[in-house]
mmCIF file of all heavy atoms in Angstrom:
data_model
loop_
_atom_site.group_PDB
_atom_site.id
_atom_site.type_symbol
_atom_site.label_atom_id
_atom_site.label_comp_id
_atom_site.label_asym_id
_atom_site.label_seq_id
_atom_site.Cartn_x
_atom_site.Cartn_y
_atom_site.Cartn_z
ATOM 1 N N LEU V 957 84.760 97.319 98.433
ATOM 2 C CA LEU V 957 83.934 96.221 97.859
ATOM 3 C C LEU V 957 84.643 94.907 98.051
ATOM 4 O O LEU V 957 84.049 93.911 98.470
ATOM 5 C CB LEU V 957 83.755 96.490 96.361
ATOM 6 C CG LEU V 957 82.836 95.526 95.626
ATOM 7 C CD1 LEU V 957 81.454 95.586 96.242
ATOM 8 C CD2 LEU V 957 82.787 95.865 94.148
ATOM 9 N N GLY V 958 85.967 94.853 97.873
ATOM 10 C CA GLY V 958 86.704 93.637 98.118
ATOM 11 C C GLY V 958 86.700 93.212 99.565
ATOM 12 O O GLY V 958 86.565 91.987 99.901
ATOM 13 N N ILE V 959 86.769 94.172 100.483
ATOM 14 C CA ILE V 959 86.673 93.876 101.889
ATOM 15 C C ILE V 959 85.317 93.297 102.221
ATOM 16 O O ILE V 959 85.165 92.345 102.966
ATOM 17 C CB ILE V 959 87.016 95.122 102.714
ATOM 18 C CG1 ILE V 959 88.461 95.491 102.605
ATOM 19 C CG2 ILE V 959 86.629 94.913 104.193
ATOM 20 C CD1 ILE V 959 88.851 96.867 103.154
ATOM 21 N N ALA V 960 84.262 93.979 101.677
ATOM 22 C CA ALA V 960 82.892 93.479 101.921
ATOM 23 C C ALA V 960 82.711 92.044 101.449
ATOM 24 O O ALA V 960 82.048 91.221 102.132
ATOM 25 C CB ALA V 960 81.900 94.420 101.297
ATOM 26 N N VAL V 961 83.197 91.778 100.277
ATOM 27 C CA VAL V 961 83.077 90.394 99.753
ATOM 28 C C VAL V 961 83.813 89.402 100.605
ATOM 29 O O VAL V 961 83.291 88.366 100.950
ATOM 30 C CB VAL V 961 83.633 90.322 98.272
ATOM 31 C CG1 VAL V 961 83.812 88.891 97.769
ATOM 32 C CG2 VAL V 961 82.735 91.104 97.322
ATOM 33 N N ALA V 962 84.999 89.711 101.039
ATOM 34 C CA ALA V 962 85.760 88.811 101.934
ATOM 35 C C ALA V 962 85.050 88.600 103.250
ATOM 36 O O ALA V 962 84.950 87.497 103.764
ATOM 37 C CB ALA V 962 87.193 89.341 102.140
ATOM 38 N N ILE V 963 84.535 89.699 103.848
ATOM 39 C CA ILE V 963 83.788 89.572 105.111
ATOM 40 C C ILE V 963 82.562 88.699 104.869
ATOM 41 O O ILE V 963 82.235 87.834 105.722
ATOM 42 C CB ILE V 963 83.451 90.921 105.682
ATOM 43 C CG1 ILE V 963 84.676 91.608 106.204
ATOM 44 C CG2 ILE V 963 82.367 90.841 106.798
ATOM 45 C CD1 ILE V 963 84.473 93.057 106.629
ATOM 46 N N GLY V 964 81.850 88.925 103.771
ATOM 47 C CA GLY V 964 80.671 88.129 103.497
ATOM 48 C C GLY V 964 80.976 86.639 103.365
ATOM 49 O O GLY V 964 80.244 85.770 103.890
ATOM 50 N N ILE V 965 82.063 86.338 102.687
ATOM 51 C CA ILE V 965 82.493 84.949 102.523
ATOM 52 C C ILE V 965 82.818 84.324 103.864
ATOM 53 O O ILE V 965 82.403 83.192 104.231
ATOM 54 C CB ILE V 965 83.713 84.815 101.566
ATOM 55 C CG1 ILE V 965 83.285 85.159 100.136
ATOM 56 C CG2 ILE V 965 84.302 83.457 101.619
ATOM 57 C CD1 ILE V 965 84.430 85.274 99.163
ATOM 58 N N LEU V 966 83.616 85.044 104.684
ATOM 59 C CA LEU V 966 84.052 84.501 105.969
ATOM 60 C C LEU V 966 82.853 84.390 106.947
ATOM 61 O O LEU V 966 82.803 83.441 107.712
ATOM 62 C CB LEU V 966 85.155 85.344 106.562
ATOM 63 C CG LEU V 966 86.481 85.250 105.782
ATOM 64 C CD1 LEU V 966 87.485 86.190 106.363
ATOM 65 C CD2 LEU V 966 87.031 83.801 105.718
ATOM 66 N N GLU V 967 81.944 85.342 106.941
ATOM 67 C CA GLU V 967 80.791 85.288 107.827
ATOM 68 C C GLU V 967 79.852 84.111 107.403
ATOM 69 O O GLU V 967 79.267 83.470 108.238
ATOM 70 C CB GLU V 967 79.988 86.604 107.829
ATOM 71 C CG GLU V 967 80.732 87.701 108.545
ATOM 72 C CD GLU V 967 80.857 87.438 110.045
ATOM 73 O OE1 GLU V 967 79.916 86.937 110.624
ATOM 74 O OE2 GLU V 967 81.920 87.800 110.581
ATOM 75 N N GLY V 968 79.743 83.868 106.148
ATOM 76 C CA GLY V 968 78.964 82.782 105.575
ATOM 77 C C GLY V 968 79.522 81.407 105.990
ATOM 78 O O GLY V 968 78.804 80.400 106.035
ATOM 79 N N MET V 969 80.830 81.376 106.234
ATOM 80 C CA MET V 969 81.496 80.108 106.617
ATOM 81 C C MET V 969 81.707 79.944 108.079
ATOM 82 O O MET V 969 82.308 79.010 108.521
ATOM 83 C CB MET V 969 82.876 80.108 105.923
ATOM 84 C CG MET V 969 82.816 80.119 104.396
ATOM 85 S SD MET V 969 84.492 80.073 103.728
ATOM 86 C CE MET V 969 85.011 78.480 104.280
ATOM 87 N N ALA V 970 81.175 80.880 108.888
ATOM 88 C CA ALA V 970 81.371 80.832 110.317
ATOM 89 C C ALA V 970 80.949 79.536 110.974
ATOM 90 O O ALA V 970 81.532 79.110 111.954
ATOM 91 C CB ALA V 970 80.648 81.991 110.987
ATOM 92 N N SER V 971 79.978 78.824 110.426
ATOM 93 C CA SER V 971 79.476 77.593 111.009
ATOM 94 C C SER V 971 80.282 76.358 110.611
ATOM 95 O O SER V 971 80.076 75.302 111.122
ATOM 96 C CB SER V 971 78.013 77.373 110.666
ATOM 97 O OG SER V 971 77.863 77.262 109.315
ATOM 98 N N LEU V 972 81.222 76.569 109.731
ATOM 99 C CA LEU V 972 82.061 75.433 109.219
ATOM 100 C C LEU V 972 83.229 75.193 110.173
ATOM 101 O O LEU V 972 83.453 75.896 111.133
ATOM 102 C CB LEU V 972 82.566 75.730 107.807
ATOM 103 C CG LEU V 972 81.504 75.891 106.722
ATOM 104 C CD1 LEU V 972 82.143 76.207 105.400
ATOM 105 C CD2 LEU V 972 80.695 74.563 106.575
ATOM 106 N N ASP V 973 83.975 74.171 109.831
ATOM 107 C CA ASP V 973 85.142 73.741 110.557
ATOM 108 C C ASP V 973 86.163 74.905 110.625
ATOM 109 O O ASP V 973 86.413 75.577 109.596
ATOM 110 C CB ASP V 973 85.758 72.577 109.840
ATOM 111 C CG ASP V 973 87.036 72.058 110.499
ATOM 112 O OD1 ASP V 973 87.083 72.068 111.761
ATOM 113 O OD2 ASP V 973 87.939 71.656 109.797
ATOM 114 N N PRO V 974 86.715 75.182 111.817
ATOM 115 C CA PRO V 974 87.685 76.291 111.966
ATOM 116 C C PRO V 974 88.920 76.207 111.036
ATOM 117 O O PRO V 974 89.407 77.179 110.594
ATOM 118 C CB PRO V 974 88.099 76.245 113.416
ATOM 119 C CG PRO V 974 87.009 75.520 114.096
ATOM 120 C CD PRO V 974 86.419 74.595 113.100
ATOM 121 N N VAL V 975 89.296 74.957 110.713
ATOM 122 C CA VAL V 975 90.433 74.786 109.820
ATOM 123 C C VAL V 975 90.079 75.232 108.415
ATOM 124 O O VAL V 975 90.923 75.899 107.752
ATOM 125 C CB VAL V 975 90.874 73.256 109.824
ATOM 126 C CG1 VAL V 975 91.989 73.062 108.784
ATOM 127 C CG2 VAL V 975 91.376 72.866 111.197
ATOM 128 N N THR V 976 88.878 74.941 107.987
ATOM 129 C CA THR V 976 88.416 75.380 106.665
ATOM 130 C C THR V 976 88.337 76.883 106.570
ATOM 131 O O THR V 976 88.740 77.503 105.644
ATOM 132 C CB THR V 976 87.032 74.728 106.326
ATOM 133 O OG1 THR V 976 87.174 73.332 106.434
ATOM 134 C CG2 THR V 976 86.598 75.126 104.909
ATOM 135 N N VAL V 977 87.799 77.495 107.641
ATOM 136 C CA VAL V 977 87.695 78.963 107.693
ATOM 137 C C VAL V 977 89.072 79.596 107.688
ATOM 138 O O VAL V 977 89.307 80.593 106.975
ATOM 139 C CB VAL V 977 86.892 79.389 108.969
ATOM 140 C CG1 VAL V 977 86.884 80.918 109.093
ATOM 141 C CG2 VAL V 977 85.463 78.838 108.868
ATOM 142 N N ALA V 978 90.035 79.033 108.413
ATOM 143 C CA ALA V 978 91.399 79.546 108.425
ATOM 144 C C ALA V 978 92.050 79.402 107.072
ATOM 145 O O ALA V 978 92.751 80.308 106.628
ATOM 146 C CB ALA V 978 92.220 78.825 109.522
ATOM 147 N N LEU V 979 91.775 78.282 106.376
ATOM 148 C CA LEU V 979 92.336 78.053 105.057
ATOM 149 C C LEU V 979 91.818 79.052 104.063
ATOM 150 O O LEU V 979 92.578 79.692 103.346
ATOM 151 C CB LEU V 979 92.048 76.645 104.615
ATOM 152 C CG LEU V 979 92.521 76.332 103.166
ATOM 153 C CD1 LEU V 979 94.048 76.321 103.156
ATOM 154 C CD2 LEU V 979 92.013 74.956 102.762
ATOM 155 N N VAL V 980 90.479 79.267 104.081
ATOM 156 C CA VAL V 980 89.869 80.242 103.141
ATOM 157 C C VAL V 980 90.353 81.677 103.468
ATOM 158 O O VAL V 980 90.638 82.424 102.582
ATOM 159 C CB VAL V 980 88.359 80.143 103.195
ATOM 160 C CG1 VAL V 980 87.703 81.268 102.414
ATOM 161 C CG2 VAL V 980 87.894 78.812 102.632
ATOM 162 N N SER V 981 90.453 81.952 104.777
ATOM 163 C CA SER V 981 90.905 83.290 105.166
ATOM 164 C C SER V 981 92.358 83.523 104.702
ATOM 165 O O SER V 981 92.752 84.575 104.222
ATOM 166 C CB SER V 981 90.860 83.393 106.685
ATOM 167 O OG SER V 981 91.430 84.631 107.145
#
Side-chain angles (χ1 to χ4, degrees):
L957 185 63
I959 292 170
V961 168
I963 289 173
I965 291 171
L966 293 176
E967 288 295 320
M969 297 180 64
S971 62
L972 295 178
D973 179 36
V975 174
T976 304
V977 174
L979 178 66
V980 171
S981 175

